[in-house]
Amino acid sequence: MNQLRNDCFALPPGVNWTPVEEALERLHSRLHPVVGVDRAIPLSQLNGRILASDVYAPRAHPPSSNSAVDGYAFAGPLTQVPCTMPLVDGRSAAGEPYTGHVPEGHAIRILTGAVMPAGTDTVVLEEDCEVVDDQLHLNGTLKAGANRRMAGEDIQARDRILTAGIRLTPTQISVLASVGVEAVDVYQRLRVGVLSTGDEVKPVGSPVTGWQIYDANRPMLSALVTQLGYELVDLGHALDRAEEVKAALERGADQCDLILTSGGVSAGDEDHVSKTLKAHGEITNWRIAIKPGRPLALAMFKGTPVVGLPGNPVAAWVCALRFGAPAMALLAGGAWFEPQGYLVPANFSKNKKPGRSEMLRARVRDGKVEVFGSEGSGRVTGLAWSEGLVDLDEGARQIEPGTPVRFMPYGSFGL
């Protein structure tokens, strides 16, 4: 396992507000994979794992030239029509190839996926010809190689078929299987601890008073971690007590590769996450020019990176996606990513002031993007309503219905 430097998150002197793109570039430049490698993991256990080394094909795909259709194989091209060819006795099927040689001017019955017999290179569809008394009658021309799949036209032996750092999906596992790769090396799953804090916050199922709120962040962030394919370590909930926060962070440092916290990262009297990290670790509060969000605590605690998210659920979600998701991907051995955005006509109006990027909860309906009615960071209903984010940069903008805006679906963050 490769440790990060204790000062990896430090900002240059004099830096106060950090634009989003600059913050992302800094974060990217200071992280590297921190997990070990699991060797020779079989296909059945690869879904969602991150590939640790390039994979090369041990054989071609397809391994032999074969027919793309049911029909009749012969040596092409076919230019003089109409014509008649005698049929060779026998056939070539996918599970029973023809082992003989087809003489020039003759044809043979062939089925989809069957190996092209020696002496043939072209296939005519069965519905485009007629067989009478073991004679094949053809009326249309065909170029040489028609309806034939060439050996290795998809993959050549020794081709690099997958590149280290990708997260394996069912379709990529299919590629491995198609050339006979039984097992590959993958990175160990990133262990991500999730900790929520605050006297006013109570776990769901606990009794609450009128001034207390249920903990929405820990279930939300825990589900995010597992959906991204990482191993969740539930660090529970800590009250605003320095000793409780310190004990929770110590558990996280012992068990995790990364810790996500929510709440307690500002500079208030009861912000014990930031106080504990200052007293026992290395912390930098990045004041990022983003709405919602703004404070993002990046710290090292006993060799383990800590990402301190805002306490309001919407801000925690936005910062976890925009900064946490690409950071976790890189720490886990994958590639840092910039979420794919699409220009979509707006179905809303907004007068945006300059100075901060804004991330609006949004969804697309009938080819236009609409945003949630309130921008409040505590409006959790907007999270459930949304299917992505509208990304507005730091500049001033006047948006009217029809104005193109950048929409980033949640799928572009790996969800």
Side-chain angles (χ1 to χ4, degrees):
M1 181 181 297
N2 298 314
Q3 292 283 332
L4 298 175
R5 301 189 317 272
N6 278 339
D7 63 349
C8 69
F9 296 128
L11 291 174
V15 171
N16 292 313
W17 286 99
T18 307
V20 170
E21 295 304 321
E22 185 177 334
L24 289 168
E25 288 175 7
R26 284 181 179 159
L27 195 57
H28 182 192
S29 69
R30 297 172 192 201
L31 299 178
H32 57 73
V34 297
V35 292
V37 174
D38 288 332
R39 303 290 180 185
I41 302 302
L43 295 181
S44 61
Q45 300 174 30
L46 290 181
N47 194 37
R49 302 296 296 271
I50 297 176
L51 191 62
S53 55
D54 294 350
V55 181
Y56 295 84
R59 73 185 305 216
H61 181 261
S64 304
S65 295
N66 65 86
S67 177
V69 298
D70 291 339
Y72 298 87
F74 54 89
L78 181 63
T79 57
Q80 301 297 321
V81 291
C83 72
T84 300
M85 292 183 189
L87 284 177
V88 171
D89 186 30
R91 68 172 192 170
S92 186
E96 188 179 353
Y98 182 77
T99 58
H101 184 278
V102 177
E104 186 175 355
H106 288 62
I108 187 171
R109 176 66 169 161
I110 193 168
L111 303 180
T112 301
V115 172
M116 297 291 295
T120 70
D121 61 10
T122 304
V123 181
V124 61
L125 278 74
E126 61 178 83
E127 54 264 39
D128 291 342
C129 56
E130 184 180 9
V131 176
V132 179
D133 297 329
D134 294 329
Q135 298 287 316
L136 181 67
H137 298 272
L138 303 113
N139 294 313
T141 60
L142 280 175
K143 63 182 180 180
N147 301 311
R148 173 197 59 178
R149 305 186 187 110
M150 288 290 292
E153 69 176 23
D154 187 17
I155 300 169
Q156 293 282 345
R158 295 180 295 281
D159 277 355
R160 183 171 63 182
I161 54 173
L162 294 177
T163 304
I166 64 170
R167 187 178 297 279
L168 294 167
T169 64
T171 52
Q172 290 158 340
I173 293 169
S174 172
V175 171
L176 294 173
S178 71
V179 291
V181 175
E182 297 182 59
V184 296
D185 297 341
V186 294
Y187 284 105
Q188 294 170 356
R189 290 190 188 274
L190 188 75
R191 298 165 300 173
V192 181
V194 175
L195 171 68
S196 59
T197 66
D199 286 349
E200 79 283 12
V201 175
K202 299 285 282 185
V204 174
S206 303
V208 292
T209 65
W211 55 269
Q212 291 175 319
I213 58 175
Y214 286 118
D215 184 358
N217 285 347
R218 185 155 57 97
M220 175 182 72
L221 296 173
S222 297
L224 174 65
V225 167
T226 56
Q227 191 165 345
L228 290 175
Y230 308 124
E231 181 180 335
L232 172 67
V233 179
D234 187 355
L235 298 176
H237 168 262
L239 296 173
D240 289 325
R241 310 286 186 273
E243 62 276 11
E244 280 203 31
V245 173
K246 182 172 180 288
L249 290 173
E250 287 175 339
R251 291 196 309 275
D254 288 340
Q255 302 174 43
C256 306
D257 302 307
L258 170 74
I259 302 171
L260 294 178
T261 69
S262 64
V265 294
S266 295
D269 292 347
E270 299 299 330
D271 287 320
H272 289 285
V273 173
S274 56
K275 286 184 178 181
T276 302
L277 292 171
K278 286 176 183 176
H280 303 284
E282 298 284 338
I283 182 172
T284 301
N285 286 92
W286 288 20
R287 299 179 68 199
I288 299 173
I290 187 172
K291 177 185 177 182
R294 195 176 299 186
L296 184 69
L298 298 168
M300 295 296 296
F301 184 82
K302 296 191 174 182
T304 301
V306 180
V307 177
L309 300 169
N312 281 324
V314 176
W317 176 249
V318 167
C319 288
L321 288 185
R322 201 68 181 93
F323 299 95
M328 286 188 282
L330 188 54
L331 291 169
W336 178 276
F337 65 86
E338 176 65 22
Q340 181 66 55
Y342 305 90
L343 288 179
V344 182
N347 193 21
F348 63 95
S349 299
K350 180 177 174 63
N351 180 19
K352 182 192 173 296
K353 298 179 181 178
R356 286 198 288 168
S357 293
E358 294 192 22
M359 309 290 287
L360 310 177
R361 286 152 287 168
R363 65 186 185 185
V364 174
R365 292 291 184 273
D366 298 324
K368 297 181 180 179
V369 62
E370 54 190 34
V371 297
F372 191 60
S374 170
E375 296 181 13
S377 290
R379 297 289 293 271
V380 294
T381 51
L383 293 176
W385 174 92
S386 64
E387 297 168 357
L389 301 169
V390 163
D391 179 21
L392 304 177
D393 62 24
E394 287 88 352
R397 291 196 64 182
Q398 181 64 47
I399 299 169
E400 301 294 344
T403 302
V405 293
R406 185 172 183 244
F407 174 71
M408 299 186 298
Y410 289 143
S412 68
F413 294 93
L415 300 178

